[in-house]
Amino acid sequence: MTMVAENETTAAPGTIPAPSVKPPMAMLAELTHRCPLACPYCSNPLEMTAIKSELKTEEWAEAFKQAAAIGVLQIHLSGGEPASRRDLEELITAARDADLYTNLITSGIGLTEKRLAALDERGLDHVQLSLQGVTAESADEIGGYKGGFDRKMAVAGWVEKQGIPLTLNAVVHRRNMDRLEETIALAQQLGARRIEVATVQFHGWAAANRAALMPTQDQALRAREIVNEARERLKGELVIDYVPADHHAKYPKPCMGGWGSTGLNITPDGTVLPCHAAQTIKGLNFDRFPEKSLRDIWYDGDAFNAFRGFDWMQEPCRSCDRRGKDFGGCRCQAMAIANDPYATDPVCSKSPFHAELVAAAEADSHADASELTYRVSPR
Amino acid sequence: MTLTAITEADTPFLPRGVRTKFDSVRDIWVLLAPERAVKLDPIGAAILAEVDGTRTLNEIAGGLAAKYNAPVDQIKKDAGAFLMSLIERRMVELR
């Protein structure tokens, strides 16, 4: 998922002082970790929240109110599968009552035509439907759920019938990247206004599947060409957002638009995170809602302040003229590969770990691995 | 569908899932769309305030010219370019 923030003003890198803390633009609410699918690249943590620990309806409603009060404009209702929550209808009402733009991020499983009509009536603004592949066979193999693809196609039809704007979220990797053109064509066919082509980010569950899913460099280059061509051809018809495979990049992505600068995540039990993988960083203290208010957590929480500004940086980030552009890249990746969350993201060509990262990605992309390790649902 | 340039006889509107909101925390107008929040400057906000799905670009520019005492041709050009940039991002449609 890309962040929603679109700052229309950007200053020249290297010439700006560290920015002061601004209000958050978006909040990702992981309503539950339950999900009928078992995608091997799931972004949920390896250790998932049990049903009994999930926040209650009223607690989520209060979180939405507090989020709006500190500046959040858009709420992304996600999971797991948000439709696994029986109170999803009430949660959408609560989000709209808080005057939030309400986005449902779903696999489609658990939605019926009737339920979608009810969500529509309650003011749902937008649906983002995940896509695992362009054929039932390939998609259901990745999702680990037979019949999932056909169901999704039905859900997309109901979304279109209700008139709710649709985004297709196509997660791409070595096994399906060669069918990117068909994926984009499917989005058009389903009447989607937008498609997000997101290369698997190899954290969490995906890390166990690197050898099976890592795209080759040729695939990544070709995907970029296809996206660029389609963007031009489909301007005004289909918006295409592309999250590249950063293992093939020269500079890191500005993860989350800068740590603690634009968005926050809440896990099913109310733990508030600067990014969904932040719990992989050892030594950070995460606050929990409702024990603390979202305002206190956003402005004063240890985890949120850990990588704000430039003072935490080491060389080569500290003196780099790109530091205001990519903020040193992904902290979770620095943790995973350099074993130091303060290090330069190893995706950066200036990182001493860059060569190692590239070699590992190259080796994994040519590995003869077909076994997938699927995510396991919480109890 | 081929994207064609907006003409002064076109009537722009915000499609479902796109709306403006006054953001009282930041004290600015914003345009909310699928997975996008665009901060509007005062000119952008003024143009979108006139986009009601019934008036043509010609009428919108005329209204803004009178309101801000500015040359109508310049406004037509600026508003057209601004709306076109939103049409390309599927945040505005025409009828």
Side-chain angles (χ1 to χ4, degrees):
Chain A
M1 201 187 71
T2 53
M3 286 309 305
V4 300
E6 239 187 56
N7 258 321
E8 303 283 293
T9 51
T10 48
T15 61
I16 40 164
S20 58
V21 181
K22 293 197 183 92
M25 305 279 287
M27 184 162 85
L28 180 78
E30 291 176 0
L31 299 178
T32 178
H33 280 155
R34 287 173 279 153
C35 184
L37 301 194
C39 303
Y41 45 69
C42 181
S43 64
N44 286 163
L46 299 178
E47 233 171 277
M48 293 198 221
T49 305
I51 301 172
K52 60 175 172 24
S53 305
E54 291 178 5
L55 293 185
K56 308 275 181 292
T57 315
E58 313 75 56
E59 291 172 313
W60 278 117
E62 175 60 21
F64 298 163
K65 258 189 238 170
Q66 290 192 14
I70 61 170
V72 168
L73 296 167
Q74 297 200 338
I75 182 87
H76 304 289
L77 303 177
S78 179
E81 172 50 58
S84 296
R85 292 268 315 206
R86 272 191 241 160
D87 58 355
L88 180 61
E89 288 81 349
E90 291 162 73
L91 293 172
I92 284 169
T93 297
R96 287 307 311 269
D97 284 351
D99 201 17
L100 292 168
Y101 186 99
T102 307
N103 177 23
L104 180 68
I105 300 179
T106 179
S107 69
I109 312 301
L111 293 176
T112 59
E113 184 167 16
K114 200 174 148 204
R115 204 171 182 201
L116 253 176
L119 301 182
D120 181 30
E121 199 167 304
R122 286 165 185 264
L124 178 62
D125 285 297
H126 173 239
V127 171
Q128 187 192 110
L129 184 68
S130 67
L131 185 79
Q132 284 73 29
V134 290
T135 64
E137 197 191 351
S138 64
D140 293 351
E141 196 204 352
I142 290 292
Y145 185 86
K146 207 163 165 31
F149 179 81
D150 290 342
R151 186 69 181 182
K152 270 169 206 292
M153 295 302 107
V155 170
W158 300 328
V159 172
E160 160 101 22
K161 193 175 156 198
Q162 290 295 334
I164 310 170
L166 174 72
T167 285
L168 214 55
N169 178 17
V171 179
V172 295
H173 44 77
R174 186 163 84 235
R175 292 193 182 192
N176 64 8
M177 238 184 193
D178 292 334
R179 305 190 77 163
L180 182 53
E181 283 158 314
E182 290 162 85
T183 308
I184 293 169
L186 180 61
Q188 284 180 271
Q189 191 191 317
L190 294 173
R193 231 185 254 180
R194 190 174 160 270
I195 183 172
E196 199 169 301
V197 177
T199 310
V200 166
Q201 303 295 298
F202 291 94
H203 303 295
W205 294 97
N209 289 296
R210 283 176 56 105
L213 299 179
M214 182 69 74
T216 65
Q217 184 151 15
D218 283 349
Q219 282 182 311
L221 290 172
R222 179 81 188 111
R224 167 67 75 189
E225 286 171 11
I226 291 169
V227 165
N228 286 345
E229 182 278 327
R231 269 182 184 155
E232 198 49 45
R233 177 167 50 88
L234 301 174
K235 200 181 271 184
E237 179 183 346
L238 185 69
V239 176
I240 305 176
D241 281 348
Y242 178 49
V243 181
D246 62 2
H247 291 75
H248 307 292
K250 192 173 174 200
Y251 297 114
K253 293 197 288 281
C255 193
M256 301 297 290
W259 184 274
S261 73
T262 47
L264 65 163
N265 287 19
I266 305 196
T267 71
D269 70 359
T271 307
V272 185
L273 308 175
C275 91
H276 63 78
Q279 283 163 309
T280 61
I281 301 175
K282 302 286 170 273
L284 286 187
N285 293 316
F286 300 102
D287 294 309
R288 222 189 128 246
F289 175 88
E291 274 100 75
K292 278 194 181 173
S293 72
L294 291 184
R295 182 181 298 277
D296 285 350
I297 297 172
W298 175 258
Y299 285 101
D300 299 323
D302 286 349
F304 279 86
N305 280 321
F307 307 110
R308 275 177 171 149
F310 304 132
D311 287 347
W312 60 270
M313 288 179 177
Q314 305 171 354
E315 292 298 349
C317 291
R318 194 174 256 276
S319 61
C320 182
D321 64 1
R322 293 180 56 88
R323 66 181 183 169
K325 208 176 213 169
D326 55 35
F327 311 101
C330 172
R331 297 300 89 225
C332 303
Q333 197 147 253
M335 180 75 217
I337 295 167
N339 199 30
D340 176 4
Y342 298 94
T344 299
D345 184 342
V347 162
C348 183
S349 52
K350 296 180 181 177
S351 161
F353 294 90
H354 182 70
E356 190 185 309
L357 170 126
V358 171
E362 178 66 12
D364 286 331
S365 76
H366 294 291
D368 183 21
S370 54
E371 282 289 296
L372 294 172
T373 303
Y374 289 95
R375 76 157 241 166
V376 183
S377 240
R379 277 165 301 173
Chain B
M1 189 169 89
T2 318
L3 194 63
T4 49
I6 187 170
T7 70
E8 56 181 45
D10 286 323
T11 303
F13 67 98
L14 300 184
R16 165 127 191 228
V18 183
R19 51 193 153 91
T20 55
K21 169 184 166 161
F22 185 72
D23 177 348
S24 54
V25 172
R26 297 174 184 81
D27 207 24
I28 50 164
W29 281 90
V30 290
L31 181 66
L32 301 177
E35 319 242 357
R36 291 282 191 282
V38 181
K39 295 175 182 175
L40 296 170
D41 63 17
I43 298 169
I47 295 169
L48 288 183
E50 305 291 320
V51 171
D52 61 3
T54 67
R55 280 182 288 173
T56 62
L57 174 60
N58 208 18
E59 290 163 333
I60 289 169
L64 288 169
K67 202 164 165 183
Y68 295 97
N69 196 19
V72 68
D73 283 346
Q74 187 61 42
I75 289 193
K76 213 178 283 177
K77 201 171 141 227
D78 292 350
F82 174 67
L83 291 170
M84 206 56 213
S85 74
L86 295 176
I87 289 167
E88 286 178 358
R89 297 148 88 186
R90 291 225 55 183
M91 294 180 191
V92 165
E93 293 181 12
L94 299 176
R95 59 173 154 239

